[in-house]
Amino acid sequence: MFLALLVGGLVVALVVGALFVFGLRRRLIQRSGGTFDCSLRWNIPEETDLSGKGWVYGVARYNSDRIMWFRVFSYALRPRRVLERSAIEVVARRTPEGEEELALLSDAVVLGCLHRGTRLELAMSEDALTGFLAWLEAAPPGQRVNVA
């Protein structure tokens, strides 16, 4: 009986500890400001895939001339992807369709992009999209910006 209570207590403590670490990590990522919720689908095929597969929920943070993208369900303090402003080319904008609507946040807008030859899609809220496009267009003089 005592062993069962001890094991149960340890499991509860581990779960609470894991949730605390997730929260602390997100707080550390957001500490410097300029963050927004952003799902990412990396290296997608030419034809549009509406199955909802490949989307990963994350948090993006503006960092000078880069966007640093972090997975939400990870313990890593380093970004999973880094997108440079000068290398981002926006090629399409659409609303989620089909099963994709279930994989993304309810108010998401999907932005099709190219980054150094890699096709990717970013899904974010309309407000975050407005900020993202403004950030892209606010590139320093001499940098090329490709916004469709």
Side-chain angles (χ1 to χ4, degrees), residues 25-80:
R25 177 182 170 269
R26 178 141 182 169
R27 191 77 180 125
L28 288 172
I29 291 169
Q30 292 179 326
R31 180 178 51 173
S32 61
T35 60
F36 58 97
D37 292 335
C38 177
S39 295
L40 173 87
R41 191 157 65 159
W42 188 261
N43 204 13
I44 59 173
E46 288 291 326
E47 62 278 351
T48 304
D49 178 17
L50 304 177
S51 67
K53 294 180 182 176
W55 284 106
V56 181
Y57 183 60
V59 175
R61 180 176 70 199
Y62 297 106
N63 185 359
S64 184
D65 284 339
R66 296 182 303 223
I67 292 278
M68 302 173 91
W69 185 84
F70 300 84
R71 292 177 68 125
V72 166
F73 300 109
S74 171
Y75 291 109
L77 291 175
R78 290 186 173 188
R80 178 79 169 162

Side-chain angles (χ1 to χ4, degrees), residues 79-97:
R80 178 79 169 162
R81 302 278 182 210
V82 177
L83 306 174
E84 290 131 13
R85 179 174 15 205
S86 62
I88 298 172
E89 181 180 345
V90 177
V91 294
R93 177 182 172 172
R94 63 182 177 83
T95 56
E97 300 172 15

